[in-house]
Amino acid sequence: LVFVFGLEPGSPPVDAILIILAVILAASTMQVAGGIDWMVAMAAKAIRKRPKQVTLIAPLMSFVFCLGAGTGNIVYPLLPVIYDVSYQAKVRPSRPLAMTVVVSGIALACSPVSAAMAAMITLTDVAPYNFSMVEVLSVTVPAALIGIFLTSLVIGRSGKELEDDPEFQARVADGRLSAIAQGSSAPELTFTKEGRNAAYIFLAAVMGIVIFWFFPDLRPTITVEGVTEPIGVTPIIQMLMFTAAGVMILVCKPKVKDVPESSVFKAGIVSAVALFGLAWLTDTFIAAWETEIVDTVGGWVNSWPAEFLIGVFLVAALTTSQSTATRTIVPIGLAVGLSPAAVSAMWAGGFAGVFTLPTNGSQIAAANFDETGTTKLGTKLLDHSFILPVLVLAITTAVPGVIIANLLY
């Protein structure tokens, strides 16, 4: 665009990348210290308490802990527990497994420390929108909870009951799977004291971010050109996350050399690189053609606002990255005149699109853990067990979210 077509380079999302790097360091340090093990053990305990409601409880636990940790990686160790609980309760395992995986996607629109939220607030919490993270969360969190509840009602009635499923019956008949017996086959998940403390430290930093956002008078002040004002939340997020990582190293004694090798660190760095390149490219293109984009896309969106939801959904599906979908589509939605609140609602719903294609690691893991064969990856690209939760959750999150946005703002 610059060398061939002569466009002026856009602005790379430096603030968002710095937030992501700080959060990645803290979250991966927590993982190495055992903090994610503690989170997973707590979630597993809650799931086992109500086995008959596993299709609702498991996705809610996925939502809560993905929200707190800012990453969807927490669902991996939960999958065998969810399978075991649903199997013993005679619940079709594909229901809670598929729901849990898809919910981990929209949870990142509700997390103060996700890469997607870092990208979002650098777009909305600026003039002329001045729509802060707290205001984004006031739309996305209740919308997501409504979506999870409604989707669990739909998915809870999808497919045949486990004991009536022909694939399950065939596996029992040929000896690949034993008949349902009482008792759990999955081992109890354990954690260490250091892991618990690491999780406490990380979650305390997350709460600190929210508190400083709610109460700007608590922030340190700086004077610029004679004007004294609180420092922005962007550097506060970076400071608190780096501080949390340092405290975890001192208190919990993780193996620091293992931090760059952790799954959270690797996934986070990939997100940062993708965000850097694609967001810079998008900003360069939109800045050069803003008038044409606003006139053309604006007409579509004004006639049918769901166009924006479809845009986020499709980009998330094709890139499997919430942060990339954010930096690519949200600027267009804001530029054509959608309110930041409505954008936030449809942005959250669109994140379900990440699991449209059965190519994500968590989808493959869920299918592999389900020994009954009810969780399928399909053979025709869209005939997998996750597609119904994806579509239903996108709609049941976005529509209530828009209603909430209109009521609040």
Side-chain angles (χ1 to χ4, degrees):
L1 292 179
V2 174
F3 285 91
V4 177
F5 296 102
L7 301 189
E8 181 180 346
S11 301
V14 175
D15 285 342
I17 292 169
L18 293 178
I19 291 174
I20 292 169
L21 292 177
V23 172
I24 288 169
L25 180 63
S28 56
T29 303
M30 175 182 66
Q31 182 184 27
V32 173
I36 288 184
D37 292 340
W38 176 83
M39 289 185 176
V40 170
M42 296 301 102
K45 185 177 179 181
I47 293 169
R48 284 194 167 106
K49 280 185 175 180
R50 297 172 179 84
K52 290 294 184 181
Q53 285 77 46
V54 65
T55 304
L56 174 62
I57 301 300
L60 282 175
M61 291 299 100
S62 169
F63 175 79
V64 169
F65 286 101
C66 288
L67 182 157
T71 174
N73 287 333
I74 196 170
V75 302
Y76 283 93
L78 275 179
L79 296 177
V81 175
I82 294 169
Y83 166 73
D84 184 69
V85 170
S86 58
Y87 182 64
Q88 300 301 327
K90 301 182 181 180
V91 174
R92 184 181 178 89
S94 63
R95 297 169 181 169
L97 287 172
M99 274 285 295
T100 298
V101 168
V102 178
V103 164
S104 71
I106 67 164
L108 302 189
C110 306
S111 172
V113 289
S114 70
M117 184 62 75
M120 184 67 166
I121 60 176
T122 57
L123 296 171
T124 62
D125 198 11
V126 294
Y129 312 111
N130 298 318
F131 200 72
S132 71
M133 181 181 72
V134 171
E135 291 168 314
V136 172
L137 294 176
S138 70
V139 174
T140 61
V141 172
L145 290 173
I146 293 171
I148 293 169
F149 177 74
L150 294 177
T151 305
S152 71
L153 295 179
V154 175
I155 302 305
R157 291 165 175 76
S158 65
K160 294 184 177 181
E161 295 303 322
L162 178 58
E163 292 183 303
D164 299 327
D165 185 81
E167 178 67 21
F168 171 73
Q169 292 174 342
R171 294 190 180 201
V172 172
D174 63 17
R176 284 180 292 169
L177 194 65
S178 61
I180 297 175
Q182 296 299 316
S184 174
S185 60
E188 289 289 331
L189 298 175
T190 60
F191 60 90
T192 63
K193 179 181 177 181
E194 291 77 14
R196 181 200 62 193
N197 292 339
Y200 285 168
I201 293 168
F202 183 86
L203 295 176
V206 174
M207 288 302 301
I209 292 168
V210 174
I211 290 170
F212 280 120
W213 216 303
F214 265 117
F215 304 103
D217 291 343
L218 297 177
R219 305 178 207 164
T221 58
I222 56 174
T223 302
V224 179
E225 297 180 353
V227 178
T228 301
E229 58 184 14
I231 66 173
V233 176
T234 295
I236 286 179
I237 295 174
Q238 297 161 21
M239 293 176 200
L240 289 181
M241 286 290 109
F242 278 127
T243 300
V247 172
M248 280 186 269
I249 290 172
L250 293 173
V251 173
C252 307
K253 302 293 193 296
K255 293 182 179 179
V256 178
K257 67 178 182 180
D258 291 342
V259 171
E261 299 299 320
S262 67
S263 60
V264 170
F265 190 91
K266 291 178 179 178
I269 289 296
V270 170
S271 296
V273 172
L275 176 64
F276 190 6
L278 288 172
W280 197 3
L281 172 67
T282 302
D283 191 79
T284 301
F285 180 80
I286 291 177
W289 297 96
E290 184 171 4
T291 301
E292 290 80 359
I293 291 172
V294 170
D295 291 344
T296 304
V297 180
W300 298 342
V301 172
N302 288 331
S303 301
W304 195 42
E307 289 267 2
F308 176 78
L309 169 62
I310 294 172
V312 176
F313 186 97
L314 290 178
V315 174
L318 295 175
T319 64
T320 66
S321 169
Q322 290 95 335
S323 54
T324 300
T326 302
R327 290 295 305 198
T328 304
I329 302 299
V330 169
I332 297 176
L334 294 172
V336 301
L338 286 176
S339 70
V343 164
S344 299
M346 290 185 278
W347 169 71
F351 278 5
V354 167
F355 300 102
T356 302
L357 304 178
T359 55
N360 288 269
S362 55
Q363 291 170 292
I364 296 169
N368 287 336
F369 280 122
D370 185 359
E371 296 181 5
T372 66
T374 61
T375 306
K376 304 180 185 298
L377 294 176
T379 58
K380 300 177 179 63
L381 203 62
L382 296 178
D383 60 336
H384 52 84
S385 298
F386 305 88
I387 193 64
L388 183 60
V390 161
L391 297 175
V392 175
L393 189 60
I395 295 170
T396 57
T397 298
V399 173
V402 171
I403 296 172
I404 293 170
N406 290 333
L407 290 175
L408 293 179
Y409 304 103

